[in-house]
Amino acid sequence: MAGMAVRREGNDRPPAEPSRRKPTINDVAQLAGVSFGTVSRVLNDAPDVSASTRERVLQIIKDIGYRRNRAATALVTSRSTSIGILSDGSPRFGPVGTLLALENVARKKGYAATVISVEKPYEDSVQDALDSLDDSGVGGIIVIAPVVDMAAAVWNATCRVPVEMIAAGASSTPNVFTYSENQELGARLATQHLIDLGHTDIAHIAGSMDWFDGRVRKRGWEAALRDAGLEPRLCIEGDWSPKWAYETALRLVREQKVPQAIFAASDHTALGLIRAFAENGIRVPEDVSVVGFDDIEGSDYFLPPLTTVRQDFTALALMSMEVLLGAMEGREVDRTPIAPTLVVRNSARQATSHK
């Protein structure tokens, strides 16, 4: 009747819509016409499933929006479905590229990644971070350790799960195994390219020797020169930044010590060098050849486009994950370092007789 309020028993709110039930692994099995175990083998990428069955199951999973329960999977299989990633929080190109690639690869392989960044003093922060990751139930830990001090703290730490360290040129220990890209080879490729162009006065504008990357890139430069019968001469250690490289190049110009060719420890270093030279009428590559390292985004738009060494972070992450999973599962995995590639552009040219 008009003017009369309608009274609802119990409360004044309309009944809630029933929530939509989340699809389960049994739903997938029923719709695909296979057993629970077959779906489980597909989810775990087991080899004993036919291609057609695997494709059908994966399509059903996609169609109904099934998502595996990681905690339940870990309980049933007694195998963790998460890994830990420990980083020093460096904003530099190499560590950041490695971290992003690792997170992406872990997710594609069905693993959740818990990331913790540490800071100095590493003796305290590294052990605390490893303990925290271990307590969270990760099955293994990958440490991105660009600096020597951090690696030393990892070597001295203890952990109950497998620990892998990505550190260029570093050795494994009984408690920590290492993996990396072969950056020494990359430095050899860069230096050899300049040697092949006829250059004999090849300087190295280096990165920090506190970094494994800086050490192995310098070592590759030295080795390539000595193998060619040339004595390594000018090497200036820096901090990887364009600003430092710019100021260093200005000093070389003032002191009239600009070399015939330069292997720069990073593309950012090369960028600073090229600008300083350009501002002082020194042309690259006509007056000095420059080769970088990293192949950062935009290096092909430097003026001139930069010849450099390309790091494949996706391949590094894939192999690093495979190495860690091998340790977690007790199987041997090939640990041959990833080989970088030389990308030839226009910043280095054939040596001229007047240099």
Side-chain angles (χ1 to χ4, degrees):
M1 294 178 62
M4 292 183 62
V6 178
R7 181 173 180 271
R8 295 187 177 95
E9 296 291 331
N11 61 54
D12 295 330
R13 288 176 297 177
E17 289 281 335
S19 59
R20 184 166 175 249
R21 183 176 66 86
K22 291 181 179 179
T24 68
I25 191 171
N26 287 319
D27 295 330
V28 176
Q30 183 176 359
L31 290 169
V34 297
S35 67
F36 175 100
T38 298
V39 177
S40 178
R41 289 196 294 276
V42 170
L43 290 170
N44 291 300
D45 203 24
D48 55 340
V49 181
S50 70
S52 60
T53 299
R54 185 183 304 276
E55 184 178 352
R56 185 167 73 256
V57 169
L58 291 175
Q59 187 60 51
I60 293 295
I61 288 172
K62 181 179 179 181
D63 290 344
I64 69 172
Y66 168 73
R67 295 178 63 185
R68 80 195 312 186
N69 185 319
R70 296 185 185 278
T73 301
L75 286 172
V76 171
T77 64
S78 299
R79 188 180 73 179
S80 175
T81 57
S82 64
I83 65 162
I85 301 176
L86 188 60
S87 165
D88 75 337
S90 170
R92 296 294 181 197
F93 178 75
V96 170
T98 303
L99 173 60
L100 294 177
L102 276 173
E103 287 186 294
N104 187 44
V105 167
R107 186 170 59 254
K108 288 183 177 179
K109 285 185 172 288
Y111 285 81
T114 301
V115 181
I116 295 182
S117 294
V118 295
E119 52 189 29
K120 294 182 178 180
Y122 293 125
E123 293 79 7
D124 300 325
S125 62
V126 165
Q127 183 65 70
D128 289 345
L130 291 174
D131 289 344
S132 177
L133 289 170
D134 192 357
D135 291 343
S136 73
V138 299
I141 299 170
I142 297 180
V143 180
I144 303 170
V147 294
V148 177
D149 287 351
M150 180 181 176
V154 175
W155 280 319
N156 291 329
T158 58
C159 193
R160 293 175 296 182
V161 299
V163 176
E164 173 187 6
M165 185 161 61
I166 298 178
S171 300
S172 297
T173 69
N175 298 324
V176 180
F177 53 95
T178 60
Y179 189 76
S180 69
E181 187 171 52
N182 192 339
Q183 295 193 34
E184 182 174 341
L185 172 61
R188 279 178 167 269
L189 292 172
T191 307
Q192 187 61 50
H193 178 64
L194 293 169
I195 294 170
D196 291 342
L197 290 172
H199 297 291
T200 56
D201 176 22
I202 304 172
H204 181 38
I205 307 303
S208 170
M209 294 301 116
D210 293 335
W211 284 52
F212 289 106
D213 298 14
R215 294 183 178 195
V216 296
R217 293 178 195 185
K218 179 184 178 183
R219 193 157 65 225
W221 165 74
E222 291 173 333
L225 288 175
R226 290 201 169 105
D227 286 352
L230 301 171
E231 188 63 27
R233 294 178 184 172
L234 180 63
C235 178
I236 306 174
E237 177 186 346
D239 66 1
W240 308 100
S241 72
K243 181 178 184 293
W244 171 84
Y246 174 80
E247 294 169 348
T248 298
L250 291 179
R251 188 173 77 249
L252 292 175
V253 171
R254 285 195 306 270
E255 297 173 357
Q256 298 185 345
K257 293 181 179 178
V258 177
Q260 189 182 57
I262 295 174
F263 164 45
S266 73
D267 291 352
H268 283 130
T269 301
L271 179 62
L273 296 172
I274 291 171
R275 175 180 168 181
F277 291 149
E279 290 178 352
N280 287 273
I282 297 173
R283 301 166 300 168
V284 176
E286 291 83 358
D287 301 318
V288 55
S289 289
V290 177
V291 176
F293 198 112
D294 284 333
D295 194 30
I296 62 172
E297 182 180 2
S299 60
D300 49 340
Y301 283 92
F302 283 18
L303 189 62
L306 186 66
T307 294
T308 185
V309 175
R310 175 178 296 159
Q311 298 192 76
D312 189 339
F313 292 118
T314 299
L316 174 63
L318 282 168
M319 281 304 303
S320 298
M321 274 293 296
E322 185 61 25
V323 168
L324 181 67
L325 295 179
M328 290 164 58
E329 297 165 5
R331 55 185 172 84
E332 287 296 319
V333 177
D334 181 12
R335 297 183 187 175
T336 304
I338 295 291
T341 56
L342 180 71
V343 181
V344 178
R345 296 190 180 110
N346 304 115
S347 61
R349 67 181 296 179
Q350 197 74 31
T352 54
S353 56
H354 71 273
K355 285 293 284 184

